[in-house]
Amino acid sequence: MPEIPDLEAVRHYLMPRLAGLKVTHTDAPIPWLVRTGAEGLASLEGHGFGEIHRLGKFLLYFVDDGRLLVINPMLTGRFHWIEATAKKPGRLGVVIGFDDGHELRFSDMRRMGRWYLVPQDGLDAIPQWGKLGPDALAVSEEDFLARLKSRRGQIKATLVNQEFIAGIGNAYSDEILWEARLHPHRRRATMSEEDLRGPYRAMRAVLEESIAIVDATVQEEGLGKKEEWRQHLKVHRRGGDPCPRCGAPIKGQMRGDSETNYCVVCQPLFE
Ligand SMILES: [Zn+2]
């Protein structure tokens, strides 16, 4: 699932490339991805895009007529920036063509991505939008601390809860907790004030470092080969590998189809 560094790289890659272009054609081979109605996509023709913002796992494309194109790629949504004549990818969901001969394509293996075309004051039409917490890159340390103090559950479950803060998922929660030396199942009640500040500082450090790495990778290889870039992660999906800090084997724990990874030595569970 794309998380903040992946979506920031998409945003940084596309914004200068879309500048000054006009939409010439649109298509929705998987029409239900466009939750506000695929037929409405054609109304983008003749228009262009300005800034691209992000809140949590949503990208917000500002249309020059005052509307917003809001996209949540969910598990497997992938953006492609490619010439219109290039071979189409599998599970192509939505296409927006531009007057310089490029297409912004969206493919989605699991077909769970969500697109919405709404007025700027119409974000409440997006399910759960009003419940989203502040973005993980925008929340202040004091706000983070206050929000965390009102949560009782396990720290990993809290970090990935989009109502707590928006943008952190399974992969980066593992990285953040490893950096903060906190066991993913630690509960709020067992954590000191310093323990509660640790994940905030680790979150900032991990996200900033990862954004720089993923940005550089995407600038070099372009958009379309992947929806998430994970080569730099230290513990997530590294079960059995040595912990980069202490050398003990990284533990992998499956719950449903998502894996939690941590180091039992660096991240002890105090209950
Ligand atoms: Zn370790």
Side-chain angles (χ1 to χ4, degrees):
M1 176 185 283
E3 297 184 34
I4 284 177
D6 310 301
L7 295 176
E8 284 291 283
V10 170
R11 191 170 81 80
H12 295 153
Y13 187 86
L14 285 178
M15 209 156 42
R17 286 170 172 82
L18 293 179
L21 302 185
K22 291 271 180 276
V23 175
T24 53
H25 59 279
T26 60
D27 190 20
I30 307 177
W32 72 82
L33 295 185
V34 187
R35 303 298 170 110
T36 44
E39 66 283 356
L41 272 185
S43 67
L44 290 172
E45 288 170 18
H47 292 285
F49 293 99
E51 294 197 350
I52 306 172
H53 290 199
R54 183 189 54 74
L55 175 60
K57 298 175 187 171
F58 292 82
L59 286 174
L60 294 84
Y61 295 71
F62 283 73
V63 185
D64 64 10
D65 62 3
R67 290 182 296 169
L68 286 169
L69 179 62
V70 183
I71 305 171
N72 179 352
M74 296 294 287
L75 292 179
T76 57
R78 180 184 303 185
F79 295 93
H80 308 247
W81 180 250
I82 195 156
E83 281 156 23
T85 51
K87 185 173 176 288
K88 304 252 187 293
R91 302 288 173 128
L92 179 61
V94 186
V95 178
I96 302 178
F98 293 90
D99 56 0
D100 74 337
H102 276 87
E103 284 182 344
L104 175 61
R105 297 174 178 170
F106 182 83
S107 66
D108 194 342
M109 288 308 287
R110 304 271 288 262
R111 298 186 289 187
M112 290 168 68
R114 295 171 185 175
W115 286 50
Y116 307 87
L117 187 56
V118 295
Q120 277 182 28
D121 60 0
L123 286 165
D124 288 339
I126 297 170
Q128 309 299 312
W129 183 269
K131 291 185 173 176
L132 283 178
D135 187 76
L137 284 182
V139 67
S140 70
E141 183 165 347
E142 295 314 310
D143 189 15
F144 180 92
L145 201 65
R147 301 176 75 84
L148 190 50
K149 283 179 175 171
S150 72
R151 298 269 165 179
R152 307 179 70 85
Q154 298 179 350
I155 182 70
K156 169 152 176 161
T158 300
L159 280 178
V160 300
N161 182 337
Q162 302 302 296
E163 296 179 20
F164 170 62
I165 48 164
I168 304 293
N170 196 38
Y172 282 96
S173 59
D174 281 354
E175 297 297 300
I176 290 163
L177 292 172
W178 180 82
E179 187 68 33
R181 302 183 186 226
L182 285 172
H183 192 288
H185 298 167
R186 279 288 292 279
R187 287 182 181 277
R188 149 85 187 87
T190 71
M191 293 166 70
S192 68
E193 176 93 7
E194 194 53 33
D195 287 340
L196 294 175
R197 289 184 185 273
Y200 179 82
R201 292 168 187 168
M203 176 176 80
R204 298 294 311 201
V206 165
L207 291 178
E208 281 165 19
E209 185 188 351
S210 300
I211 286 169
I213 293 168
V214 177
D215 251 0
T217 308
V218 170
Q219 291 295 339
E220 192 179 314
E221 68 183 35
L223 271 188
K225 291 191 183 128
K226 295 179 183 172
E227 67 272 9
E228 53 182 37
W229 291 266
R230 299 288 154 83
Q231 72 282 357
H232 56 290
L233 299 188
K234 293 179 174 133
V235 290
H236 186 67
R237 294 196 194 139
R238 302 254 187 268
D241 288 359
C243 166
R245 192 158 45 211
C246 76
I250 299 289
K251 190 171 166 68
Q253 192 176 62
M254 293 300 295
R255 186 177 290 178
D257 59 0
S258 75
E259 186 173 7
T260 290
N261 299 104
Y262 59 98
C263 173
V264 289
V265 177
C266 295
Q267 297 164 264
L269 181 62
F270 301 110
E271 285 283 13

